[in-house]
Amino acid sequence: MPRMQLTKTMIIDTALSLAEQQGYEAVTMANIARSLSIKPPSLYNHFKNLEEIKHAMAEAAQIQLYEALRDTEQGAQLLSLAKAYVHFGSSHPGLYASSLPGGSWEVSEALVQLIADGLTAFSLDETDKIHAIRGFRSMLHGFIDLNKHAGFKLDVDLEKSLEQMVGIYVRGLQS
């Protein structure tokens, strides 16, 4: 049987698949190697360590998150961004968790710029815009995380809760 031509892309895709199927915590050198039917030392021919693999995973996951957010509706942009962000995080928990450590500067900056673009309707100086972006991302991350851990047990529509939450946030920015 011929040897498989292992590539960085194959390793990253396998690691992301592991994160999606078993959770981000399952991404280890041993588990990646097992999934690829290779011995763990073979991974070191392509990456220095697990941290380097996770950095590559973060960049790939952030690109997918960016693509999910980039085509949101221009009207009611913050709400549209929020819905797309929460949908991505809830539908792809492993990819979302992989995106959190941060990838390349360019991709991270592009994600932040999408949110900044959604804030153009508000009169914010640069410092306040940074605070607003951090607050928005934190609010959505909390929503995703609480939902993931069954923190919303009341029989009330989650999408309506998200709409209300973003509405309150927008009113706060307007004042």
Side-chain angles (χ1 to χ4, degrees):
M1 186 162 137
R3 291 181 102 177
M4 169 178 42
Q5 289 297 320
L6 190 62
T7 65
K8 281 187 169 192
T9 301
M10 289 170 66
I11 295 167
I12 296 164
D13 289 347
T14 299
L16 288 170
S17 179
L18 268 171
E20 270 297 278
Q21 294 169 11
Q22 299 176 28
Y24 186 71
E25 305 76 29
V27 179
T28 64
M29 296 299 259
N31 285 342
I32 295 168
R34 189 175 306 110
S35 294
L36 289 165
S37 301
I38 61 171
K39 295 190 183 308
S42 297
L43 296 171
Y44 293 99
N45 293 326
H46 301 276
F47 291 96
K48 286 187 248 179
N49 52 35
L50 183 60
E51 183 179 324
E52 194 173 279
I53 292 172
K54 287 188 172 185
H55 180 78
M57 288 172 64
E59 183 167 352
Q62 282 187 340
I63 289 168
Q64 290 186 45
L65 175 58
Y66 175 82
E67 289 171 355
L69 299 180
R70 139 183 98 193
D71 297 325
T72 56
E73 300 170 27
Q74 293 305 309
Q77 194 165 7
L78 281 182
L79 179 57
S80 186
L81 276 170
K83 286 181 177 183
Y85 195 100
V86 168
H87 177 74
F88 181 88
S90 300
S91 301
H92 305 288
L95 278 175
Y96 178 71
S98 298
S99 76
L100 295 176
S104 72
W105 172 253
E106 295 88 22
V107 179
S108 296
E109 183 65 23
L111 276 167
V112 168
Q113 189 58 51
L114 282 174
I115 299 168
D117 291 347
L119 296 169
T120 56
F122 307 98
S123 300
L124 302 172
D125 64 31
E126 283 306 306
T127 301
D128 286 341
K129 190 180 289 184
I130 291 168
H131 294 314
I133 291 166
R134 288 176 178 168
F136 187 72
R137 291 179 69 200
S138 297
M139 176 178 68
L140 298 178
H141 176 70
F143 192 91
I144 292 165
D145 197 48
L146 281 167
N147 190 33
K148 176 183 174 185
H149 291 96
F152 299 133
K153 295 182 181 174
L154 297 177
D155 189 22
V156 175
D157 184 6
L158 280 178
E159 186 163 347
K160 185 67 176 166
S161 292
L162 179 62
E163 291 169 1
Q164 291 286 327
M165 181 178 70
V166 173
I168 291 166
Y169 187 78
V170 166
R171 287 191 296 281
L173 289 173
Q174 292 169 333
S175 58

